[in-house]
Amino acid sequence: IVKQIIDNENELKTLMGIKKSVFIAPLITKKEMTFNIDNKDAVFATAKSNNAYYLLLKEQNNNQIKNLSLQKALAIPDITLGPEYDHNSNYTPHYVGIGINFPLPIFNRNQGNIKSASYNVKQANTLSQNAEIELYNNISAAYDKLVSSIQLNNKEEQDFISKYQNIYQKVFESYKSKQINLIEFLDFYDSFKSAIENHFNILLNTHLAVQEINYHAGTDVVKQ
């Protein structure tokens, strides 16, 4: 257990940029956990405006669309028209004329780049659509986990744990005063320990669900 604590502390201090040999003590509060959360669709709408990965793919898709427009524009030849003057022209002195320039070939220009850009647009659009589906499913799963954890960590559960802890103290005192034997005490203690572990797992899963939904949303849509 000590080794695991040391490893966890090492990872935590690295993430927090701490180089000192200090122990980071957890802040334990008895304050009731309350959550302010909108409905699932509202959370998804928020995620579409803040999730970095989704926004990156959307921007890449827009860039590919702009590139396709550029490649199509390059297919149109640039024709230049301008006056010409030659003081001592071989044709006639003081020659005045109009010049027109255009690149060859005129037709079917830049078709390879246009096809490549069109493929890139389809690929980027597919990736963007998949990212939107994945984002919604991640939000939906995290939302359901949070709702489930909140339902488990209800007032009845909290009252049960509080009463169980009081019973444990009485059983412990009974064992100390030899009113019950060691076997009876250990039998009760195993049940008590199991209940406490389940309770803390509910609290842990609740906090993890909060962090997960905020991570996918790209902002703190759920505040503790």
Side-chain angles (χ1 to χ4, degrees):
I1 293 176
V2 172
K3 180 182 179 299
Q4 185 178 2
I5 292 175
I6 293 174
D7 290 339
N8 291 339
E9 280 286 312
N10 177 55
E11 183 178 359
L12 180 59
K13 286 189 288 187
T14 299
L15 290 173
M16 298 179 66
I18 298 175
K19 294 188 289 186
K20 299 180 180 179
S21 298
V22 295
F23 181 83
I24 303 174
L27 178 62
I28 301 176
T29 176
K30 296 294 183 180
K31 184 176 64 174
E32 183 178 354
M33 300 168 63
T34 57
F35 300 94
N36 180 19
I37 185 169
D38 297 322
N39 61 59
K40 190 182 299 184
D41 292 334
V43 176
F44 177 61
T46 301
K48 290 177 67 175
S49 301
N50 294 277
N51 183 277
Y53 179 69
Y54 173 76
L55 292 176
L56 174 63
L57 291 182
K58 289 286 290 184
E59 186 62 27
Q60 289 178 348
N61 186 32
N62 293 333
N63 289 339
Q64 293 300 338
I65 293 175
K66 293 177 182 178
N67 181 53
L68 176 59
S69 299
L70 173 62
Q71 298 305 325
K72 288 181 177 179
L74 293 177
I76 301 174
D78 295 327
I79 300 176
T80 58
L81 183 68
E84 293 184 357
Y85 172 78
D86 192 337
H87 180 69
N88 294 315
S89 171
N90 292 330
Y91 176 70
T92 180
H94 302 288
Y95 169 77
V96 178
I98 296 177
I100 181 171
N101 296 316
F102 52 85
L104 295 175
I106 299 177
F107 304 104
N108 298 323
R109 299 179 68 247
N110 207 36
Q111 293 304 305
N113 288 337
I114 291 176
K115 290 181 179 180
S116 177
S118 298
Y119 172 79
N120 290 337
V121 168
K122 293 179 180 179
Q123 183 183 45
N125 186 50
T126 300
L127 291 175
S128 179
Q129 291 177 349
N130 289 341
E132 183 171 342
I133 295 172
E134 182 181 12
L135 178 60
Y136 180 82
N137 289 335
N138 288 336
I139 288 292
S140 179
Y143 185 95
D144 292 342
K145 290 177 188 177
L146 179 59
V147 171
S148 176
S149 297
I150 293 175
Q151 290 174 346
L152 288 174
N153 188 34
N154 52 29
K155 189 176 185 301
E156 288 76 11
E157 165 71 11
Q158 296 173 9
D159 290 342
F160 169 76
I161 291 298
S162 178
K163 292 177 181 178
Y164 213 159
Q165 289 174 328
N166 292 332
I167 293 174
Y168 169 76
Q169 291 297 328
K170 293 179 181 179
V171 172
F172 181 63
E173 292 298 329
S174 297
Y175 170 69
K176 286 175 62 178
S177 62
K178 301 186 183 302
Q179 295 179 9
I180 61 174
N181 59 35
L182 178 61
I183 300 299
E184 293 172 322
F185 172 73
L186 290 178
D187 182 59
F188 175 83
Y189 179 77
D190 286 339
S191 299
F192 172 75
K193 183 179 71 171
S194 178
I196 293 297
E197 287 177 347
N198 289 336
H199 177 68
F200 277 106
N201 281 332
I202 291 174
L203 296 179
L204 174 62
N205 290 333
T206 303
H207 285 292
L208 291 177
V210 169
Q211 299 306 319
E212 184 177 353
I213 197 172
N214 286 343
Y215 171 77
H216 291 302
T219 185
D220 289 343
V221 294
V222 182
K223 297 180 174 61
Q224 300 184 46

